[in-house]
Amino acid sequence: MKGIFTALMCSFDEKGQINEKGLREIVRYNIDQSKVDGLYVNGSTGENFLISTEQKKRIFEIVKDEAKEQVKLIAQVGSLNIEEAVELAQFATDLKYDAISAVTPFYYKFDFEEIKDYYNTILENVDNQMIIYSIPALTGVSMNLDQFGELFENEKIIGVKFTAPDFFLLERLRHAYPEKLIYSSFDEMLLSASVLNVDGAIGSTFNVNGHRAKQIFELAQNGQIAEAREIQKVTNDLIADILENGLYQTIKEILKLKGVDAGICRKPMKTLTDEKIEKAKQIAERYL
Ligand code: SI3
Protein backbone atom coordinates (compact mmCIF):
# COMPACT_ATOMS: atom_id res chain seq x y z
CA MET A 1 0.00 0.00 0.00
CA LYS A 2 3.01 2.31 -0.23
CA GLY A 3 4.01 4.56 -3.11
CA ILE A 4 2.43 6.90 -5.62
CA PHE A 5 -1.35 6.74 -5.99
CA THR A 6 -3.17 8.74 -8.64
CA ALA A 7 -6.33 10.48 -7.45
CA LEU A 8 -8.15 9.17 -10.47
CA MET A 9 -10.12 11.38 -12.84
CA CYS A 10 -13.33 10.13 -14.39
CA SER A 11 -14.37 10.83 -17.97
CA PHE A 12 -17.88 12.35 -18.28
CA ASP A 13 -19.81 13.23 -21.43
CA GLU A 14 -21.82 16.42 -22.15
CA LYS A 15 -24.81 14.94 -20.31
CA GLY A 16 -22.71 14.26 -17.21
CA GLN A 17 -22.80 10.51 -17.79
CA ILE A 18 -19.79 8.26 -17.27
CA ASN A 19 -17.83 7.65 -20.47
CA GLU A 20 -16.76 4.07 -19.77
CA LYS A 21 -14.28 3.88 -22.63
CA GLY A 22 -12.67 7.12 -21.50
CA LEU A 23 -12.48 6.00 -17.87
CA ARG A 24 -10.82 2.76 -18.91
CA GLU A 25 -8.29 4.74 -20.96
CA ILE A 26 -7.50 6.97 -17.96
CA VAL A 27 -6.87 3.87 -15.85
CA ARG A 28 -4.63 2.38 -18.54
CA TYR A 29 -2.67 5.61 -19.01
CA ASN A 30 -1.90 5.75 -15.30
CA ILE A 31 -0.87 2.11 -15.09
CA ASP A 32 0.92 1.69 -18.42
CA GLN A 33 2.48 5.10 -19.09
CA SER A 34 2.94 6.69 -15.65
CA LYS A 35 3.45 3.36 -13.89
CA VAL A 36 1.92 4.55 -10.64
CA ASP A 37 1.61 2.16 -7.72
CA GLY A 38 -2.08 2.61 -7.11
CA LEU A 39 -5.31 4.45 -7.82
CA TYR A 40 -7.46 6.44 -5.39
CA VAL A 41 -10.95 6.17 -6.81
CA ASN A 42 -13.87 8.60 -6.35
CA GLY A 43 -11.92 11.24 -4.51
CA SER A 44 -12.22 14.98 -5.07
CA THR A 45 -10.45 14.63 -8.42
CA GLY A 46 -12.99 12.00 -9.46
CA GLU A 47 -15.71 14.65 -8.94
CA ASN A 48 -17.18 12.31 -6.34
CA PHE A 49 -19.25 14.96 -4.63
CA LEU A 50 -21.06 15.77 -7.89
CA ILE A 51 -22.32 12.30 -8.79
CA SER A 52 -25.00 9.80 -7.77
CA THR A 53 -24.56 6.65 -5.69
CA GLU A 54 -25.14 4.52 -8.79
CA GLN A 55 -22.45 6.40 -10.70
CA LYS A 56 -20.00 5.96 -7.82
CA LYS A 57 -20.66 2.21 -7.84
CA ARG A 58 -20.27 1.97 -11.60
CA ILE A 59 -16.95 3.80 -11.44
CA PHE A 60 -15.71 1.38 -8.75
CA GLU A 61 -16.73 -1.53 -10.99
CA ILE A 62 -15.15 -0.19 -14.18
CA VAL A 63 -11.86 0.73 -12.49
CA LYS A 64 -11.56 -2.65 -10.78
CA ASP A 65 -12.41 -4.47 -13.99
CA GLU A 66 -9.77 -2.52 -15.92
CA ALA A 67 -7.01 -2.46 -13.30
CA LYS A 68 -7.62 -5.97 -11.95
CA GLU A 69 -4.74 -6.78 -9.59
CA GLN A 70 -2.17 -4.69 -11.46
CA VAL A 71 -2.06 -1.86 -8.92
CA LYS A 72 -3.45 -1.23 -5.45
CA LEU A 73 -6.90 0.30 -5.33
CA ILE A 74 -8.35 2.57 -2.65
CA ALA A 75 -12.08 3.39 -2.75
CA GLN A 76 -13.14 6.76 -1.36
CA VAL A 77 -16.61 6.19 0.10
CA GLY A 78 -17.07 9.16 2.42
CA SER A 79 -20.46 10.82 2.40
CA LEU A 80 -22.59 13.03 4.62
CA ASN A 81 -25.21 10.33 4.21
CA ILE A 82 -23.75 7.63 6.43
CA GLU A 83 -25.92 4.90 4.91
CA GLU A 84 -24.47 5.77 1.52
CA ALA A 85 -20.94 5.63 2.96
CA VAL A 86 -21.61 2.16 4.41
CA GLU A 87 -23.26 0.95 1.20
CA LEU A 88 -20.30 2.13 -0.90
CA ALA A 89 -17.80 0.69 1.56
CA GLN A 90 -19.50 -2.71 1.35
CA PHE A 91 -19.73 -2.47 -2.43
CA ALA A 92 -16.03 -1.65 -2.88
CA THR A 93 -15.06 -4.34 -0.39
CA ASP A 94 -17.07 -6.94 -2.31
CA LEU A 95 -15.14 -5.84 -5.41
CA LYS A 96 -11.93 -6.54 -3.49
CA TYR A 97 -10.63 -3.00 -3.22
CA ASP A 98 -7.47 -3.07 -1.11
CA ALA A 99 -8.70 -0.36 1.24
CA ILE A 100 -11.46 2.14 1.69
CA SER A 101 -11.07 5.80 2.55
CA ALA A 102 -13.58 8.35 3.78
CA VAL A 103 -13.43 12.11 3.78
CA THR A 104 -14.13 13.62 7.20
CA PRO A 105 -17.82 14.58 7.41
CA PHE A 106 -18.20 18.22 6.45
CA TYR A 107 -20.66 21.13 6.04
CA TYR A 108 -22.29 20.76 9.48
CA LYS A 109 -19.87 21.55 12.26
CA PHE A 110 -19.52 18.01 13.56
CA ASP A 111 -17.61 17.68 16.82
CA PHE A 112 -14.84 15.14 17.22
CA GLU A 113 -17.07 12.53 18.90
CA GLU A 114 -19.35 12.66 15.87
CA ILE A 115 -16.43 12.32 13.48
CA LYS A 116 -15.14 9.33 15.44
CA ASP A 117 -18.57 7.74 15.44
CA TYR A 118 -18.77 8.22 11.64
CA TYR A 119 -15.56 6.24 11.05
CA ASN A 120 -16.38 3.57 13.59
CA THR A 121 -19.90 3.13 12.16
CA ILE A 122 -18.55 2.61 8.65
CA LEU A 123 -15.99 0.12 9.93
CA GLU A 124 -18.44 -1.85 12.06
CA ASN A 125 -20.28 -2.61 8.84
CA VAL A 126 -17.44 -3.56 6.57
CA ASP A 127 -14.54 -5.99 6.61
CA ASN A 128 -11.88 -3.72 5.18
CA GLN A 129 -9.16 -1.30 6.23
CA MET A 130 -9.70 2.46 6.29
CA ILE A 131 -7.59 5.46 5.36
CA ILE A 132 -8.88 8.73 6.81
CA TYR A 133 -9.19 11.47 4.18
CA SER A 134 -8.27 14.74 5.86
CA ILE A 135 -8.52 17.89 3.72
CA PRO A 136 -9.18 20.82 6.07
CA ALA A 137 -9.07 23.52 3.36
CA LEU A 138 -12.14 22.04 1.67
CA THR A 139 -14.00 20.47 4.61
CA GLY A 140 -13.21 22.97 7.37
CA VAL A 141 -12.38 19.97 9.58
CA SER A 142 -8.96 20.10 11.25
CA MET A 143 -7.85 17.41 13.66
CA ASN A 144 -4.92 17.53 16.06
CA LEU A 145 -2.36 14.89 16.93
CA ASP A 146 -4.37 13.47 19.84
CA GLN A 147 -7.52 13.24 17.76
CA PHE A 148 -5.74 11.36 14.99
CA GLY A 149 -4.40 9.12 17.76
CA GLU A 150 -7.91 8.43 19.03
CA LEU A 151 -9.08 7.49 15.53
CA PHE A 152 -6.02 5.29 15.06
CA GLU A 153 -7.06 3.28 18.14
CA ASN A 154 -9.44 1.51 15.80
CA GLU A 155 -7.07 -1.05 14.29
CA LYS A 156 -8.96 -1.06 11.01
CA ILE A 157 -7.89 2.56 10.52
CA ILE A 158 -4.51 1.99 8.93
CA GLY A 159 -3.57 5.50 7.88
CA VAL A 160 -4.39 8.99 6.72
CA LYS A 161 -4.41 10.87 3.46
CA PHE A 162 -2.92 14.08 4.78
CA THR A 163 -3.95 16.96 2.54
CA ALA A 164 -2.67 19.98 4.44
CA PRO A 165 0.40 22.21 4.39
CA ASP A 166 1.00 21.65 8.12
CA PHE A 167 4.46 20.10 8.22
CA PHE A 168 4.69 20.38 12.00
CA LEU A 169 1.64 18.16 12.44
CA LEU A 170 2.85 15.86 9.66
CA GLU A 171 6.19 15.35 11.42
CA ARG A 172 4.46 14.77 14.78
CA LEU A 173 2.13 12.20 13.21
CA ARG A 174 5.01 10.39 11.51
CA HIS A 175 6.94 10.27 14.76
CA ALA A 176 3.99 9.22 16.91
CA TYR A 177 2.52 6.58 14.56
CA PRO A 178 5.34 4.89 12.67
CA GLU A 179 3.13 1.86 11.97
CA LYS A 180 0.32 3.86 10.28
CA LEU A 181 0.36 4.77 6.58
CA ILE A 182 0.68 8.47 5.88
CA TYR A 183 0.03 9.72 2.36
CA SER A 184 1.01 13.24 1.41
CA SER A 185 -1.61 14.80 -0.79
CA PHE A 186 -0.52 18.17 -2.04
CA ASP A 187 1.50 17.28 -5.12
CA GLU A 188 3.46 20.54 -4.94
CA MET A 189 4.74 19.51 -1.48
CA LEU A 190 5.66 15.93 -2.32
CA LEU A 191 9.40 16.30 -1.79
CA SER A 192 9.02 18.12 1.54
CA ALA A 193 6.63 15.43 2.77
CA SER A 194 8.86 12.64 1.46
CA VAL A 195 11.75 13.99 3.48
CA LEU A 196 9.54 13.51 6.54
CA ASN A 197 9.25 9.86 5.55
CA VAL A 198 5.65 9.60 4.42
CA ASP A 199 4.67 6.22 3.00
CA GLY A 200 3.33 7.57 -0.24
CA ALA A 201 1.31 10.25 -1.94
CA ILE A 202 -2.12 10.63 -3.52
CA GLY A 203 -2.59 13.39 -6.08
CA SER A 204 -4.62 14.78 -8.92
CA THR A 205 -1.74 15.93 -11.11
CA PHE A 206 -0.34 12.39 -11.09
CA ASN A 207 -2.95 11.69 -13.80
CA VAL A 208 -0.50 13.40 -16.17
CA ASN A 209 2.68 13.76 -14.12
CA GLY A 210 2.77 10.46 -12.23
CA HIS A 211 6.17 9.53 -13.68
CA ARG A 212 7.77 12.61 -12.08
CA ALA A 213 6.00 12.00 -8.77
CA LYS A 214 7.49 8.52 -8.72
CA GLN A 215 10.96 9.93 -9.39
CA ILE A 216 10.67 12.55 -6.64
CA PHE A 217 9.48 9.99 -4.11
CA GLU A 218 12.13 7.40 -4.99
CA LEU A 219 14.98 9.92 -5.09
CA ALA A 220 13.95 11.29 -1.70
CA GLN A 221 13.83 7.80 -0.26
CA ASN A 222 17.40 7.26 -1.53
CA GLY A 223 18.54 10.53 0.03
CA GLN A 224 19.15 12.12 -3.40
CA ILE A 225 17.58 15.39 -2.37
CA ALA A 226 19.28 17.74 -4.86
CA GLU A 227 18.11 15.59 -7.78
CA ALA A 228 14.61 15.33 -6.31
CA ARG A 229 14.50 19.11 -5.87
CA GLU A 230 15.15 19.63 -9.59
CA ILE A 231 12.21 17.42 -10.51
CA GLN A 232 9.96 19.02 -7.89
CA LYS A 233 10.84 22.39 -9.42
CA VAL A 234 9.68 21.37 -12.90
CA THR A 235 6.66 19.70 -11.33
CA ASN A 236 5.74 22.88 -9.50
CA ASP A 237 6.12 24.98 -12.66
CA LEU A 238 3.66 22.57 -14.26
CA ILE A 239 1.28 22.61 -11.28
CA ALA A 240 1.31 26.43 -11.09
CA ASP A 241 0.32 26.64 -14.77
CA ILE A 242 -2.36 23.96 -14.38
CA LEU A 243 -3.86 25.67 -11.32
CA GLU A 244 -3.96 29.00 -13.10
CA ASN A 245 -5.71 27.51 -16.13
CA GLY A 246 -8.27 25.40 -14.21
CA LEU A 247 -7.17 22.30 -12.30
CA TYR A 248 -9.30 19.35 -13.33
CA GLN A 249 -10.30 20.76 -16.73
CA THR A 250 -6.67 21.31 -17.73
CA ILE A 251 -5.60 17.83 -16.60
CA LYS A 252 -8.41 16.37 -18.74
CA GLU A 253 -7.35 18.48 -21.72
CA ILE A 254 -3.76 17.30 -21.36
CA LEU A 255 -4.93 13.69 -21.19
CA LYS A 256 -6.87 14.23 -24.42
CA LEU A 257 -3.69 15.47 -26.08
CA LYS A 258 -2.11 12.19 -25.02
CA GLY A 259 -4.86 10.29 -26.81
CA VAL A 260 -6.93 9.57 -23.70
CA ASP A 261 -10.67 10.22 -24.01
CA ALA A 262 -10.87 12.12 -20.69
CA GLY A 263 -14.15 13.89 -21.43
CA ILE A 264 -15.26 17.00 -19.61
CA CYS A 265 -15.98 17.93 -16.00
CA ARG A 266 -19.48 17.73 -14.57
CA LYS A 267 -21.47 20.86 -13.92
CA PRO A 268 -21.29 23.15 -12.07
CA MET A 269 -17.63 22.94 -13.08
CA LYS A 270 -17.07 25.00 -16.21
CA THR A 271 -15.64 23.85 -19.50
CA LEU A 272 -12.48 25.52 -20.79
CA THR A 273 -12.68 28.42 -23.21
CA ASP A 274 -10.85 28.08 -26.54
CA GLU A 275 -8.12 30.28 -25.14
CA LYS A 276 -7.65 27.99 -22.15
CA ILE A 277 -7.69 24.90 -24.33
CA GLU A 278 -4.84 26.46 -26.29
CA LYS A 279 -3.05 27.23 -23.02
CA ALA A 280 -3.46 23.59 -21.92
CA LYS A 281 -1.81 22.56 -25.18
CA GLN A 282 1.11 24.85 -24.48
CA ILE A 283 1.44 23.45 -20.95
CA ALA A 284 1.51 19.90 -22.31
CA GLU A 285 4.10 20.81 -24.95
CA ARG A 286 6.30 22.56 -22.41
CA TYR A 287 6.29 19.98 -19.64
CA LEU A 288 4.89 16.63 -20.75
O1 SI3 B 1 -9.24 13.11 -3.41
C1 SI3 B 1 -8.51 13.52 -4.29
O2 SI3 B 1 -8.86 13.55 -5.46
C2 SI3 B 1 -7.20 14.03 -3.94
O3 SI3 B 1 -6.29 13.33 -3.61
C3 SI3 B 1 -7.07 15.43 -3.99
C4 SI3 B 1 -5.63 15.91 -3.87
O4 SI3 B 1 -5.33 16.21 -2.55
C5 SI3 B 1 -5.58 17.15 -4.71
N1 SI3 B 1 -6.42 18.16 -4.09
C6 SI3 B 1 -7.46 18.67 -4.70
C7 SI3 B 1 -8.32 19.58 -3.93
O5 SI3 B 1 -7.70 18.46 -5.85
C8 SI3 B 1 -4.17 17.59 -4.94
O6 SI3 B 1 -3.58 16.60 -5.72
C9 SI3 B 1 -4.14 18.94 -5.66
O7 SI3 B 1 -5.02 18.94 -6.75
C10 SI3 B 1 -2.76 19.28 -6.18
O8 SI3 B 1 -1.84 19.20 -5.15
C11 SI3 B 1 -2.74 20.68 -6.81
O9 SI3 B 1 -2.91 21.66 -5.83
Side-chain angles (χ1 to χ4, degrees):
M1 293 296 290
K2 297 187 179 187
I4 297 298
F5 282 66
T6 298
L8 197 72
M9 309 220 94
C10 181
S11 178
F12 295 105
D13 65 21
E14 290 76 12
K15 291 188 176 143
Q17 300 303 315
I18 299 163
N19 169 358
E20 178 172 339
K21 171 181 162 286
L23 175 55
R24 287 181 184 275
E25 288 177 10
I26 296 174
V27 171
R28 288 262 57 90
Y29 188 81
N30 274 286
I31 297 176
D32 301 337
Q33 303 297 320
S34 303
K35 303 199 185 312
V36 295
D37 303 297
L39 303 174
Y40 187 84
V41 185
N42 281 341
S44 312
T45 310
E47 299 167 61
N48 174 74
F49 304 103
L50 305 178
I51 61 179
S52 69
T53 309
E54 287 317 307
Q55 286 176 312
K56 292 174 192 179
K57 286 183 172 177
R58 187 68 195 125
I59 291 168
F60 285 142
E61 281 177 338
I62 294 169
V63 174
K64 178 66 189 182
D65 185 60
E66 188 61 45
K68 305 214 161 45
E69 313 294 322
Q70 293 174 19
V71 292
K72 296 287 183 193
L73 295 178
I74 302 174
Q76 198 293 125
V77 302
S79 170
L80 284 184
N81 176 336
I82 199 152
E83 283 87 15
E84 186 197 37
V86 168
E87 186 180 334
L88 292 171
Q90 289 170 340
F91 190 81
T93 300
D94 289 346
L95 287 172
K96 302 214 173 345
Y97 271 66
D98 299 285
I100 53 171
S101 177
V103 70
T104 52
F106 52 93
Y107 189 78
Y108 302 101
K109 301 280 178 209
F110 297 106
D111 67 25
F112 180 67
E113 287 310 308
E114 291 168 323
I115 293 171
K116 198 167 132 184
D117 183 58
Y118 164 87
Y119 283 106
N120 290 338
T121 302
I122 297 172
L123 286 170
E124 274 160 22
N125 286 286
V126 65
D127 185 18
N128 207 338
Q129 41 194 9
M130 163 74 78
I131 292 154
I132 298 162
Y133 180 3
S134 174
I135 181 162
L138 294 187
T139 57
V141 179
S142 294
M143 291 186 289
N144 61 34
L145 185 65
D146 292 341
Q147 290 172 330
F148 276 111
E150 248 187 272
L151 294 180
F152 285 157
E153 281 171 16
N154 184 332
E155 285 180 2
K156 288 165 103 177
I157 299 187
I158 58 163
V160 56
K161 169 171 157 8
F162 186 89
T163 316
D166 185 342
F167 285 92
F168 182 34
L169 178 57
L170 180 58
E171 187 281 333
R172 294 288 80 191
L173 276 169
R174 176 70 302 163
H175 181 77
Y177 304 106
E179 75 290 0
K180 298 290 181 184
L181 292 168
I182 302 180
Y183 300 92
S184 158
S185 200
F186 272 131
D187 315 354
E188 47 277 50
M189 300 173 197
L190 173 58
L191 173 56
S192 315
S194 301
V195 168
L196 290 178
N197 208 19
V198 293
D199 298 289
I202 300 169
S204 65
T205 62
F206 303 166
N207 280 281
V208 291
N209 198 44
H211 59 295
R212 285 203 186 94
K214 281 206 66 130
Q215 288 173 330
I216 293 167
F217 187 61
E218 284 165 14
L219 286 167
Q221 284 188 318
N222 290 336
Q224 294 172 267
I225 303 303
E227 291 89 336
R229 205 160 46 215
E230 288 299 309
I231 302 172
Q232 185 74 66
K233 195 256 170 207
V234 180
T235 288
N236 286 2
D237 289 343
L238 166 68
I239 292 175
D241 281 358
I242 287 178
L243 287 174
E244 193 186 328
N245 205 51
L247 176 60
Y248 303 138
Q249 294 91 336
T250 302
I251 296 173
K252 286 191 176 183
E253 207 54 45
I254 294 172
L255 281 170
K256 283 186 221 166
L257 293 165
K258 300 284 173 191
V260 176
D261 185 7
I264 55 173
C265 292
R266 274 180 62 93
K267 287 185 177 186
M269 289 194 196
K270 334 184 249 214
T271 50
L272 293 183
T273 60
D274 288 347
E275 197 185 327
K276 290 198 169 206
I277 289 173
E278 180 54 32
K279 176 73 185 169
K281 196 170 161 207
Q282 289 165 12
I283 294 172
E285 280 165 3
R286 190 172 313 145
Y287 303 108
L288 295 162

